[in-house]
Amino acid sequence: MNILSIHKNTIDHIWQLLEDVPDPEVPVLSVLDLGVVRDVKLFDDTVEIVITPTYTGCPAMDMIAMNIKLALIEHGYKSVKITAVLSPAWTTDWMTAAGKKKLKEYGIAPPHLISSGNDIIECPQCGSSNTKLISQFGSTACKALYQCNDCKEPFDYFKCH
């Protein structure tokens, strides 16, 4: 096996490991589902993971960086560097389709583009479109709080960015 094959296999292995690193705020999502991992680089014995926060100042990013480092160290990568980049800014378009499906199954309405204040957010519990906005901020700043008028359940909506 040549050096390029080893390099590619190592990077592929790292991407596989990242599939199991959860988002601390929504643990059903991996950091890959969330779309915050931008790149994986390998320089000699150092692995660099490039991440973008969901929004500037996101408190979960320190925990995400630590969890990525721990996962890689646990699998034998001794030198791990996490680099945060702010530009281009993260967008919910970077979330995977599987991640959006996991959000809905977890009880959080997945993001979709809202063009006006009257757009419908579907209840992830019962599927009703008879919902109302309670607060622009839900359990975290990146979510809004809604309530279903049919099943009466409150739920978070993952806001588009």
Side-chain angles (χ1 to χ4, degrees):
M1 190 178 288
N2 67 34
I3 192 74
L4 291 176
S5 296
I6 293 170
H7 183 84
K8 183 184 178 335
N9 288 341
T10 300
I11 288 179
D12 288 347
H13 181 244
I14 292 167
W15 281 104
Q16 289 173 354
L17 294 175
L18 294 173
E19 289 177 11
D20 295 326
V21 177
D23 171 31
E25 291 179 344
V26 186
V28 297
L29 296 180
S30 75
V31 293
L32 296 185
D33 290 328
L34 193 57
V36 297
V37 177
R38 301 285 302 284
D39 201 2
V40 173
K41 301 176 182 179
L42 191 58
F43 303 101
D44 299 322
D45 291 340
T46 300
V47 175
E48 180 182 12
I49 308 295
V50 179
I51 59 175
T52 295
T54 54
Y55 64 93
T56 303
C58 174
M61 292 311 292
D62 286 340
M63 181 65 73
I64 287 172
M66 183 178 70
N67 288 343
I68 289 171
K69 273 188 171 184
L70 290 174
L72 295 178
I73 289 168
E74 184 178 293
H75 286 87
Y77 298 95
K78 293 176 178 54
S79 179
V80 179
K81 175 184 176 186
I82 307 295
T83 303
V85 295
L86 302 178
S87 181
W90 178 86
T91 169
T92 49
D93 292 341
W94 294 357
M95 294 179 74
T96 65
K100 291 175 183 178
K101 182 178 182 212
K102 290 175 188 178
L103 276 177
K104 186 173 182 177
E105 291 169 352
Y106 190 64
I108 298 173
H112 71 276
L113 189 59
I114 296 177
S115 58
S116 72
N118 297 328
D119 285 331
I120 303 300
I121 304 299
E122 186 179 289
C123 174
Q125 307 300 327
C126 72
S128 171
S129 58
N130 184 15
T131 62
K132 65 181 175 186
L133 175 68
I134 302 296
S135 173
Q136 286 292 341
F137 298 97
S139 60
T140 63
C142 59
K143 299 181 202 112
L145 181 62
Y146 278 75
Q147 183 175 19
C148 179
N149 293 320
D150 290 335
C151 73
K152 307 296 184 210
E153 288 293 322
F155 62 92
D156 278 334
Y157 163 67
F158 205 107
K159 296 186 275 190
C160 287
H161 291 31

